[in-house]
Amino acid sequence: MTSVTSAAAMKLLDVRLKHAGSIVSSAIGEFTSSTAGLQEIVCIRAGGTIDLYRIVISQVGGGDKANVDNGDDDDDDDEVQTTLKLITRLETRSVLRSICSVRVSGGKRDVVVVGADGGCCSIIDFENGVAKVLHCPAFGKVGCRRDTPGQYVASDPRGRAAMIASVEKRKLVYVLNRDAAGEVTLASPLEAHRPRTVVFDLVGVDNGYDNPIFASLEVQYLDHEDAVLSEKKRISDLKIKEENGQVGSNDSGKTDATLGRYGDGFTKQLAYYELDLGLNHVSRRWATTTHRTACCLAAIPGGADGPSGVLVGGEDYIEYVHEGMTPPPLPPGFEGAKKIPRRLISAIPRRELHPSSKGILITTITVLRQKKGKFFALAQSELGDVYKITLQVSKEDKSVVTKMTVCLLDTLPIGIGLNISKLALLFVPAEFGDHCLYQFDAIDIEGSAVTCTSEQTIAAYLKGESRASSSEDDEEDLFYASPENAAEFAPTFRPTILRNLHKVFTLDSLAPVTSILVGELAGNEVSPQLYALCGRGPTSSFRILRHGLSITELAVSELPGIPGAVFNVRDEKSGKNGKFYDRYIVVSFADATLVLSVGETVEEMGKESGFLTTEPTLACSALGNGDKGGGICQVYPGGVRHIQRGSVSQWHVPGIKKIECASANESQILIALVGGELIYFELDPLSGNLMEAATRDVGADVCSLDVGAVPKGKSRSLFAAVGCRDSTVRLLSLAPGSLLEQKSSTALGTTRPHSVALSNDLDSDTTGEITLSVGLDDGSALRAGVDPITGAISTSPSRRFLGARPVAVSRVTLQGSPATLLLSSRPWIGRGSSSGKGRHAMAPMSYAPLDHGCSFSNEAVKEGIVATSGNTLRILSVGDNGGSDVVLGAEDDEAFNSNRVALRYTPRQMCLLSAKISTPGTSSAAAQSRKILLALVESDYNDFGEEEKKTMGFDGTGQLNKSSSKKKTGDSNRDVDDEAMDLDDESDDENTNMEEKKEVGDDDEEDEEDNEARVTPIRGPFPSEPGRWGSCVRLVDPADGCTTLECIEMNRNEAALCCASVRFHSRGGESLLAVGTTTGMTMNPLCHNSSHVILYRVVNGERLQLLHRTQVDDGPVLSLVHFQGRLLVGIGKTVRLYEMGKRQLLKKCELRGLPTMVKTLQAAGDRAFIGDMMQSIQYVRYDATANRLVLVAKDRSPRPITCQELLDLNTVAVGDKFGNISILRLPRGADVGAIDVTGTRALWDSSREDATPKLETLCNYHIGEVVTGMTRASLVAGGAESLIYVTVTGRVGALVPFSSREDVEFYSALEGFLRTEAPRPTGREPQAYRSYYSPVKHVIDGDLCDAYSQLPYEQKQKIAERLDRSVGEVMKKLEDTRNALL
């Protein structure tokens, strides 16, 4: 246990393993290129990263179309696949708060305006996929302050200005323009401040080319002194009126200025701020009162495209508001009504089981502008229901809106925004869980969907009873403020599976993660797995993360023996779009060769293939570039066989020598004879024959060869790699004039090379550095860069241990770029960064060990791998979605694949259980075995239990109206109507693309895959009263794919919040499950009816048996832990120790008076670390002689603890709700006097605050995300331990202890240089960000160190010189540190 907390280890390195999955905000536009219709989505994530994704529409049988049609008719019958491809990722090391896109006047691309905590307004351009900060002017203090702009950002739809606003008071407007060179310019900010004003949302109003206008949803409150004076004046005036007898029944003495329109001190308004471009001044132009629950805005197209104005979303209603708008027309039948409505407002359809006393809040609205002056809006409620909103304008005046229609579209996961693409796609960045991309099947749904109109809403208001005590305005406001009124007339519906949308792509997200566990629990794998509790409500899941790439097994067949190699032979006649498919799979055995023909089926070939099948094959390849008819070459121990146009020519080895190894590509063959003699052949481009070109004796036996791949547009590879038995690898020239001339070599020490491979890191069109990969006999792989001009091998090669078997290396293709397949006791794949500047990425494959492998491609499998394992031949594909979900080398994320188990409620905690399994028919102790199980507790607030939901008729799968759903989404409705999704004239290509996808959609049947694409999470009915809970306890088997063995539903309104495995000495050490529950708990105010501790035992490793329930007092039970054969329970402000009794738990001792509430508990020996909800760690020791718990020490800083992990008996790591990780240690000798064995200590002496020792802070570091779980573990078998942590936003990271002073000095110096050299996109200083709440201490920022690989080469070289290293050595050091962790 001392490995993590030794003296050298108190310097830690923060290594990010997986980026945060939670998205804060997003915007859609055309950011990288001016190509029409190139749709991209930019997302800001928690943790300070900006991700740019491109919507890629590809055909399974062809290449990427990247939103636009490629014009090829050959692939019309292929299946269309839509994905999101990560283009670039920008690290800001700041808190990102808001983002919006703007197309500056005169531009053809969009740029983004970002609001963050750096006190700057950042304008970022993504031209050609490279992020560039155009402007970053400072305007205020750093930090997320209520009066520092950055919380809201809005842009003028015409691209002339942008407004950035704070939560309170301050608003700044920046005028955007272009200079003579076409570069974006930014003017000085113009102030639009308004004191004592709280902003709820901000949007740019589209009013054509008039002065830009920004709409702000805000509330202005009175100053405290003004409010007191106003109240005194009101009382005085009321007394005077009473004395004069002037107080009437309608005179309440209340004014809007004093109490607001609703009597609560404020009135919510929609205000227009106008930027006068001529005077260069911003003024508050106009304001009007809105619905009191309004929270979101969306701008309606204006000018020639629409009536302009703003949609305001609130509780139960959506309202249209615009300056100068006339009162809406009276609905039919109410022409003579006395009440005159002044609002154009419409209620939203409600769910059937939703209580009438609770409103439904609209959380986000977005508008899609179409051509011909058409547009529509989508809005989503807090329950996930998505509504389509259409406005009807007057025939006489197109700027006057006469009617609003709101109809139900579908039910989707709750999102933080809605991004509608011109490609009939909808991207929903989820609030929690995976983010989804949906395809529209139908959009003109007004005639078939549940619909509510403004006429129905106004008619309901006119039917309502008038209140004599209220004015007309107040009466209308009070009517719309009551959810009961909306429930009376709004149409109802029951949520079902998707009818008008279907899911086409899922962007994985772990957020939120509530707990983490690391261990090899599957029982048959090499590396440990990460078990994470993720999600909330209906999107809850239990994820099993494995480091590596997911593999899809396409085919497996038996072979007649154990092969020695496998090759693929390209078919030069099958070229399609510049790509070639494989014609043969050649499997070599010890004394024979098996040739398999690849077509619609794989068939064995005989002599008709031309191969010599009675000898093993050492190398084979198709010759020529596809149009020369070069034929096929086969190298066998006795010679070289050239198969061309049905004829066979052979070259035999002279004398009695044999060929030991060989390598071949499209035009070159290199063979090595026994003794070290090399013979080189080339393909004559004129005759198509093989010609012997050169020979050379290298002076040592050759054990491996590779001539490399021929670059695109070239006729030959310029280098060959030769691995010799003298533990050297030599690089030979294949250039004319210097054939087989040695260019460089590298020594491998005591181990020998097993295989070698040369590959290009970048695309073959670019001239990048060549990579030499060497598989060694000791199970490690070596990678070094090769200069493409001189052939010099890098002096700082990177080496990594892969497994216990010699490593076989071969070239494959991954997502269209070259990659390397490395096979040991575990298969691996490595490739360079997609940007060309990042680090080389390598990850294992989550698959069984493979012996030999090579690339494979045919019409069905574009990028596959053909490999052998034992006596089987396997065809594999990397990734689950045809490779579209592969993140290897995309950015700095490590490659993790996950398996998901759906849960019923939000997971709270999990623990390990050890269960005894008895073999049937035996009773001896020897026949019993142990089985590791996992127990999970789940609970949801404001939810019903499973049985109550069934009684109410709720179906969470949405299958109740499945038949009607199918009927409504038939071929006639699945076509997206041309006019409904018609776009502006700039996007005709997208319309063509949409029509193609519609045709494909018409031909698809409602099969099982289609049903899976239409399943959507549906939240259960909302209880009408507080304190309702749904909860269960789940037992899963990790060795069987985490299948659920039993799920026990808790009692009504009882919530299981924590669990622990406990071994009571009185039960003989049997592992029992203790569950802490609370009944009827409400959050505001925090109270409950009762709390219990429930004990279960595991019966034969299959089910849970209830032992007893123990009611406890003093507060809710939030933490449990095993403590010296007893159970230590955290109950409110009390820690209590229990022993097991026959009918209930027996209280032994307790410690009362803890600061606020016990949140976490961990124990080691006679010591316990108690995490308080507000006051950090309390260190307690158990005095067995006096049977009492004694407070030994506490933390001097008040940290709101969220999780903790013991590092040793005196050290604990804690995470707080502000995103900090701290490591605390008990001072030496602090617990010596904690237990008074003499009994002579004065009572007041031990109760003094200053007498309690304080814990020392060893490390402190700001993660930037709330840490919800941590554990001490190793991610590789036998590796060093690290502190693995997870955050509420889905990030997975590790704090790695340094093992040497050299590493500490290197990383400290590198971090110091990068603090000044690394770019600051939002103006935030890296050290200040990591010291957000307290100064960073003894932790190196790994994210900042990784930024070194993204710097220009000149900056890299400058930093490397200051470190007295080369650039390659610095990169190697960074890579080796990460490789040691994984």
Side-chain angles (χ1 to χ4, degrees):
M1 297 182 68
T2 60
S3 60
V4 177
T5 58
S6 61
M10 279 298 97
K11 298 283 187 176
L12 305 175
L13 174 67
D14 177 38
V15 178
R16 179 176 51 206
L17 303 178
K18 191 174 181 63
H19 275 82
S22 178
I23 294 177
V24 177
S25 183
S26 62
I28 193 167
E30 301 171 4
F31 300 104
T32 61
S33 175
S34 57
T35 303
L38 197 64
Q39 291 284 286
E40 290 152 334
I41 300 172
V42 60
C43 307
I44 58 174
R45 293 183 181 269
T49 59
I50 303 178
D51 291 352
L52 179 66
Y53 292 92
R54 178 176 297 160
I55 301 176
V56 177
I57 302 173
S58 59
Q59 293 173 334
V60 177
D64 294 346
K65 296 194 289 184
N67 303 161
V68 293
D69 183 22
N70 57 8
D72 292 331
D73 296 332
D74 296 336
D75 298 333
D76 288 344
D77 297 333
D78 293 328
E79 181 184 352
V80 173
Q81 187 179 46
T82 305
T83 59
L84 290 177
K85 180 181 180 181
L86 180 63
I87 302 300
T88 187
R89 172 171 287 155
L90 178 63
E91 295 285 348
T92 65
R93 288 170 289 280
S94 61
V95 177
L96 300 177
R97 307 167 70 186
S98 57
I99 191 172
C100 73
S101 64
V102 55
R103 180 167 297 186
V104 184
S105 301
K108 295 184 178 180
R109 293 182 299 102
D110 298 317
V111 297
V112 296
V113 183
V114 179
D117 67 336
C120 302
C121 178
S122 301
I123 299 182
I124 303 175
D125 187 13
F126 290 98
E127 185 176 8
N128 298 324
V130 179
K132 178 183 178 183
V133 180
L134 301 180
H135 299 279
C136 188
F139 53 69
K141 298 179 180 179
V142 299
C144 296
R145 309 169 189 267
R146 66 178 187 174
D147 60 346
T148 299
Q151 185 64 33
Y152 304 100
V153 173
S155 63
D156 173 46
R158 305 294 175 175
R160 298 167 294 175
M163 175 180 276
I164 182 169
S166 62
V167 175
E168 185 177 348
K169 181 183 177 180
R170 300 184 64 192
K171 300 182 185 69
L172 299 174
V173 177
Y174 289 90
V175 178
L176 302 172
N177 215 324
R178 293 186 181 272
D179 56 15
E183 299 295 330
V184 177
T185 60
L186 194 67
S188 299
L190 304 175
E191 295 183 352
H193 304 336
R194 187 172 175 83
R196 300 189 303 276
T197 301
V198 178
V199 179
F200 289 84
D201 201 3
L202 189 70
V203 72
V205 179
D206 188 355
N207 63 336
Y209 288 98
D210 293 339
N211 284 333
I213 294 178
F214 297 93
S216 173
L217 187 63
E218 59 191 32
V219 166
Q220 186 174 22
Y221 60 90
L222 290 176
D223 184 72
H224 177 68
E225 294 181 358
D226 295 340
V228 172
L229 293 175
S230 179
E231 181 66 15
K232 290 181 179 180
K233 185 178 182 300
R234 184 188 68 82
I235 295 175
S236 176
D237 293 343
L238 187 59
K239 288 183 179 180
I240 293 174
K241 289 184 179 182
E242 288 178 352
E243 292 175 357
N244 298 334
Q246 298 176 356
V247 179
S249 59
N250 295 335
D251 192 355
S252 62
K254 299 180 181 179
T255 63
D256 289 346
T258 305
L259 297 180
R261 185 171 297 279
Y262 302 103
D264 50 9
F266 66 87
T267 298
K268 191 169 288 186
Q269 291 184 327
L270 177 71
Y272 276 9
Y273 290 84
E274 180 183 14
L275 168 62
D276 193 320
L277 294 175
L279 299 177
N280 205 28
H281 173 71
V282 182
S283 60
R284 194 171 192 258
R285 170 172 171 168
W286 171 79
T288 185
T289 303
T290 63
H291 194 267
R292 66 165 302 167
T293 59
C295 66
C296 58
L297 301 175
I300 297 298
D305 299 324
S308 187
V310 175
L311 287 177
V312 183
E315 202 171 78
D316 296 320
Y317 298 94
I318 297 174
E319 182 180 3
Y320 169 77
V321 182
H322 190 38
E323 179 185 10
M325 64 178 293
T326 59
L330 295 175
F334 291 88
E335 289 77 5
K338 296 181 179 180
K339 295 188 290 186
I340 301 177
R342 60 182 179 85
R343 291 182 170 181
L344 183 61
I345 190 171
S346 175
I348 61 174
R350 297 169 63 94
R351 293 193 181 184
E352 287 184 3
L353 301 177
H354 194 77
S356 59
S357 60
K358 292 187 178 293
I360 301 176
L361 185 67
I362 296 295
T363 58
T364 181
I365 308 178
T366 188
V367 178
L368 177 67
R369 180 176 64 90
Q370 304 161 290
K371 71 177 183 179
K372 305 174 184 177
K374 293 186 178 182
F375 61 90
F376 69 90
L378 294 183
Q380 188 176 39
S381 71
E382 60 181 332
L383 302 180
D385 302 321
V386 179
Y387 305 94
K388 180 192 174 186
I389 307 163
T390 55
L391 299 180
Q392 181 177 326
V393 297
S394 172
K395 296 181 179 179
E396 295 78 14
D397 188 356
K398 299 297 183 181
S399 64
V400 176
V401 179
T402 59
K403 182 180 178 181
M404 181 193 304
T405 303
V406 179
C407 53
L408 177 69
L409 181 70
D410 263 321
T411 300
L412 303 178
I414 302 173
I416 52 93
L418 300 172
N419 302 113
I420 310 176
S421 167
K422 297 177 181 180
L423 307 170
L425 297 169
L426 174 65
F427 176 65
V428 182
E431 183 181 22
F432 296 109
D434 297 336
H435 316 294
C436 300
L437 184 66
Y438 297 90
Q439 171 76 54
F440 281 96
D441 291 332
I443 194 61
D444 275 344
I445 57 175
E446 285 78 4
S448 58
V450 180
T451 304
C452 186
T453 65
S454 57
E455 292 181 347
Q456 295 174 323
T457 305
I458 295 173
Y461 160 65
L462 296 176
K463 289 180 182 178
E465 297 181 0
S466 299
R467 294 176 174 84
S469 61
S470 302
S471 64
E472 287 189 5
D473 290 349
D474 289 342
E475 184 177 350
E476 189 174 10
D477 292 338
L478 292 173
F479 176 84
Y480 294 131
S482 173
E484 287 84 356
N485 293 334
E488 288 180 0
F489 68 90
T492 60
F493 66 92
R494 179 165 293 184
T496 65
I497 61 175
L498 300 180
R499 299 184 179 187
N500 305 302
L501 299 165
H502 70 272
K503 184 164 55 179
V504 294
F505 184 76
T506 299
L507 196 61
D508 188 49
S509 171
L510 301 180
V513 185
T514 58
S515 185
I516 182 73
L517 181 67
V518 179
E520 207 298 283
L521 306 181
N524 55 357
E525 298 183 14
V526 177
S527 298
Q529 306 92 40
L530 281 74
Y531 297 87
L533 301 181
C534 308
R536 189 187 74 169
T539 61
S540 300
S541 63
F542 179 50
R543 307 280 184 104
I544 304 97
L545 300 176
R546 293 174 173 86
H547 178 228
L549 300 173
S550 59
I551 300 297
T552 302
E553 187 177 82
L554 303 177
V556 179
S557 62
E558 294 286 336
L559 295 174
I562 297 179
V566 62
F567 308 95
N568 65 320
V569 177
R570 187 195 66 193
D571 187 357
E572 66 273 8
K573 299 179 181 179
S574 66
K576 191 174 184 180
N577 299 331
K579 298 181 179 180
F580 293 89
Y581 298 142
D582 289 338
R583 182 181 180 184
Y584 296 123
I585 297 175
V586 180
V587 184
S588 174
F589 297 92
D591 56 355
T593 295
L594 176 65
V595 182
L596 303 174
S597 174
V598 179
E600 294 183 358
T601 60
V602 178
E603 299 178 354
E604 182 178 350
M605 299 287 291
K607 295 182 179 180
E608 64 273 15
S609 65
F611 279 81
L612 184 63
T613 59
T614 58
E615 292 283 342
T617 299
L618 302 179
C620 65
S621 174
L623 300 177
N625 56 9
D627 55 0
K628 301 296 183 182
I632 300 173
C633 73
Q634 178 192 12
V635 181
Y636 59 97
V640 178
R641 189 178 181 93
H642 186 196
I643 308 164
Q644 187 181 26
R645 300 185 185 94
S647 62
V648 176
S649 59
Q650 296 194 118
W651 176 89
H652 295 282
V653 177
I656 60 173
K657 290 186 176 182
K658 295 293 183 180
I659 300 176
E660 191 165 4
C661 54
S663 177
N665 59 25
E666 291 89 335
S667 61
Q668 299 162 295
I669 302 174
L670 183 63
I671 63 175
L673 305 182
V674 176
E677 182 181 357
L678 298 179
I679 303 178
Y680 173 65
F681 297 87
E682 278 190 356
L683 180 69
D684 187 350
L686 298 178
S687 64
N689 298 324
L690 284 175
M691 309 295 294
E692 183 177 342
T695 61
R696 174 188 172 90
D697 193 337
V698 296
D701 287 342
V702 177
C703 54
S704 56
L705 283 176
D706 186 53
V707 294
V710 178
K712 186 177 180 181
K714 306 292 183 180
S715 61
R716 67 174 67 230
S717 172
L718 295 180
F719 301 101
V722 180
C724 302
R725 297 190 188 277
D726 60 355
S727 299
T728 61
V729 175
R730 311 180 189 192
L731 206 67
L732 307 182
S733 172
L734 298 182
S738 59
L739 288 175
L740 300 185
E741 178 182 331
Q742 182 171 322
K743 293 296 184 180
S744 59
S745 65
T746 182
L748 304 177
T750 58
T751 186
R752 293 179 179 178
H754 181 76
S755 59
V756 292
L758 289 170
S759 59
N760 295 317
D761 279 345
L762 302 179
D763 257 348
S764 13
D765 299 331
T766 61
T767 56
E769 188 179 67
I770 301 173
T771 298
L772 170 65
S773 300
V774 183
L776 305 179
D777 283 343
D778 62 359
S780 58
L782 182 142
R783 180 178 53 83
V786 177
D787 188 286
I789 305 299
T790 64
I793 300 177
S794 170
T795 58
S796 55
S798 176
R799 190 165 178 170
R800 183 169 186 175
F801 181 76
L802 303 184
R805 286 164 33 182
V807 180
V809 184
S810 60
R811 289 183 299 274
V812 294
T813 303
L814 187 63
Q815 289 186 325
S817 61
T820 306
L821 177 67
L822 305 101
L823 303 178
S824 181
S825 56
R826 188 178 186 185
W828 293 70
I829 284 186
R831 74 170 180 181
S833 171
S834 57
S835 62
K837 296 199 303 183
R839 60 180 176 84
H840 184 276
M842 183 181 293
M845 298 163 57
S846 296
Y847 196 71
L850 301 175
D851 301 327
H852 311 280
C854 65
S855 62
F856 176 77
S857 177
N858 68 355
E859 293 185 359
V861 184
K862 304 308 173 188
E863 293 180 352
I865 296 173
V866 56
T868 63
S869 178
N871 63 339
T872 59
L873 181 70
R874 303 165 186 254
I875 298 178
L876 313 173
S877 175
V878 180
D880 294 328
N881 299 320
S884 60
D885 57 346
V886 178
V887 298
L888 180 64
E891 287 297 334
D892 293 333
D893 264 351
E894 288 292 339
F896 283 92
N897 69 90
S898 64
N899 294 335
R900 173 174 176 165
V901 178
L903 302 180
R904 188 176 296 176
Y905 307 103
T906 302
R908 303 292 176 174
Q909 273 191 14
M910 61 179 168
C911 67
L912 286 172
L913 294 173
S914 177
K916 293 182 179 180
I917 303 177
S918 300
T919 304
T922 61
S923 59
S924 62
Q928 293 184 346
S929 59
R930 290 281 181 178
K931 184 178 183 180
I932 302 298
L933 302 175
L934 276 171
L936 285 65
V937 292
E938 312 166 29
S939 58
D940 267 330
Y941 184 51
N942 277 336
D943 201 357
F944 292 102
E946 192 72 10
E947 294 300 325
E948 291 179 277
K949 291 179 183 178
K950 292 181 179 179
T951 303
M952 299 168 66
F954 173 78
D955 182 13
T957 62
Q959 302 289 333
L960 291 178
N961 297 332
K962 184 175 178 180
S963 58
S964 60
S965 171
K966 286 186 178 182
K967 183 177 180 180
K968 291 184 179 181
T969 57
D971 292 340
S972 59
N973 284 339
R974 289 188 61 184
D975 292 344
V976 183
D977 188 85
D978 289 337
E979 294 186 358
M981 290 297 289
D982 233 355
L983 308 173
D984 45 12
D985 296 331
E986 299 176 358
S987 53
D988 291 337
D989 292 337
E990 294 90 75
N991 290 330
T992 305
N993 198 332
M994 286 166 47
E995 291 172 4
E996 289 184 357
K997 291 195 293 182
K998 288 187 297 180
E999 294 174 3
V1000 174
D1002 290 338
D1003 296 333
D1004 289 339
E1005 297 180 356
E1006 294 271 359
D1007 53 5
E1008 183 178 353
E1009 293 182 359
D1010 185 66
N1011 290 334
E1012 291 179 0
R1014 296 185 182 277
V1015 172
T1016 184
I1018 301 174
R1019 193 205 186 283
F1022 205 95
S1024 58
E1025 68 278 354
R1028 302 302 298 265
W1029 289 81
S1031 183
C1032 68
V1033 177
R1034 186 183 302 266
L1035 187 67
V1036 300
D1037 184 4
D1040 189 21
C1042 287
T1043 56
T1044 299
L1045 300 177
E1046 187 174 19
C1047 186
I1048 300 177
E1049 192 77 14
M1050 305 306 292
N1051 295 336
R1052 186 174 182 179
N1053 298 338
E1054 185 177 23
L1057 301 178
C1058 58
C1059 65
S1061 174
V1062 58
R1063 297 172 181 267
F1064 290 101
H1065 289 169
S1066 58
R1067 293 278 299 190
E1070 180 185 3
S1071 181
L1072 304 179
L1073 174 63
V1075 178
T1077 68
T1078 302
T1079 304
M1081 186 170 70
T1082 59
M1083 299 302 179
N1084 189 19
L1086 184 59
C1087 60
H1088 67 287
N1089 297 333
S1090 61
S1091 298
H1092 295 82
V1093 177
I1094 310 175
L1095 278 186
Y1096 296 94
R1097 68 182 296 263
V1098 183
V1099 180
N1100 201 28
E1102 297 177 349
R1103 61 184 182 88
L1104 295 174
Q1105 178 185 2
L1106 175 65
L1107 296 181
H1108 53 63
R1109 299 165 58 94
T1110 303
Q1111 184 169 351
V1112 297
D1113 49 10
D1114 295 335
V1117 180
L1118 299 181
S1119 54
L1120 304 165
V1121 70
H1122 169 82
F1123 186 80
Q1124 293 190 336
R1126 296 176 179 178
L1127 181 64
L1128 190 64
V1129 184
I1131 311 167
K1133 299 181 180 181
T1134 304
V1135 174
R1136 191 172 296 161
L1137 188 61
Y1138 283 97
E1139 180 59 271
M1140 185 175 181
K1142 292 184 178 180
R1143 296 186 177 181
Q1144 66 175 13
L1145 294 175
L1146 306 177
K1147 181 171 64 174
K1148 292 301 180 182
C1149 67
E1150 65 181 14
L1151 177 63
R1152 291 178 172 270
L1154 294 172
T1156 55
M1157 187 172 292
V1158 178
K1159 178 65 173 65
T1160 57
L1161 274 176
Q1162 280 190 305
D1166 62 347
R1167 307 177 182 187
F1169 286 86
I1170 303 170
D1172 189 82
M1173 192 170 284
M1174 293 300 295
Q1175 295 296 325
S1176 192
I1177 291 293
Q1178 318 287 319
Y1179 176 45
V1180 174
R1181 187 173 178 181
Y1182 177 62
D1183 184 0
T1185 57
N1187 189 29
R1188 63 171 185 161
L1189 295 168
V1190 182
L1191 180 63
V1192 174
K1194 60 175 66 175
D1195 188 13
R1196 65 179 72 250
S1197 300
R1199 311 175 197 271
I1201 300 298
T1202 56
C1203 60
Q1204 69 179 54
E1205 174 68 14
L1206 280 181
L1207 303 183
D1208 59 27
L1209 291 176
N1210 298 316
T1211 313
V1212 62
V1214 299
D1216 61 44
K1217 72 174 185 179
F1218 296 121
N1220 301 305
I1221 287 184
S1222 305
I1223 295 182
L1224 310 174
R1225 174 174 285 176
L1226 182 71
R1228 182 173 298 177
D1231 60 340
V1232 174
I1235 298 178
D1236 182 20
V1237 296
T1238 64
T1240 59
R1241 175 184 297 176
L1243 294 177
W1244 57 84
D1245 191 28
S1246 61
S1247 60
R1248 288 167 46 195
E1249 177 68 21
D1250 57 353
T1252 304
K1254 300 299 187 291
L1255 298 173
E1256 298 175 350
T1257 303
L1258 300 182
C1259 301
N1260 195 78
Y1261 184 73
H1262 180 67
I1263 299 293
E1265 306 159 48
V1266 181
V1267 181
T1268 54
M1270 56 177 63
T1271 182
R1272 191 192 64 205
S1274 171
L1275 295 180
V1276 293
E1281 287 187 334
S1282 302
L1283 185 64
I1284 312 299
Y1285 66 87
V1286 293
T1287 68
V1288 71
T1289 55
R1291 167 174 170 150
V1292 181
L1295 291 176
V1296 183
F1298 287 110
S1299 58
S1300 67
R1301 186 173 298 275
E1302 178 190 358
D1303 291 345
V1304 174
E1305 294 174 352
F1306 168 79
Y1307 275 99
S1308 298
L1310 179 62
E1311 183 188 32
F1313 295 143
L1314 287 172
R1315 284 173 180 171
T1316 57
E1317 297 292 338
R1320 303 177 184 178
T1322 60
R1324 194 74 162 110
E1325 203 278 321
Q1327 186 175 10
Y1329 175 67
R1330 295 304 179 188
S1331 306
Y1332 221 107
Y1333 293 93
S1334 57
V1336 62
K1337 184 178 182 181
H1338 293 173
V1339 181
I1340 303 297
D1341 187 353
D1343 292 350
L1344 183 60
C1345 294
D1346 287 340
Y1348 177 83
S1349 61
Q1350 302 295 329
L1351 296 176
Y1353 185 79
E1354 293 76 13
Q1355 282 185 274
K1356 287 183 182 179
Q1357 194 171 22
K1358 176 182 174 182
I1359 295 175
E1361 290 175 355
R1362 298 167 71 179
L1363 292 171
D1364 294 330
R1365 297 172 183 252
S1366 66
V1367 174
E1369 289 173 343
V1370 176
M1371 296 289 290
K1372 177 178 180 295
K1373 187 69 174 179
L1374 293 173
E1375 185 177 337
D1376 289 346
T1377 303
R1378 185 177 287 267
N1379 292 345
L1381 176 64
L1382 292 170

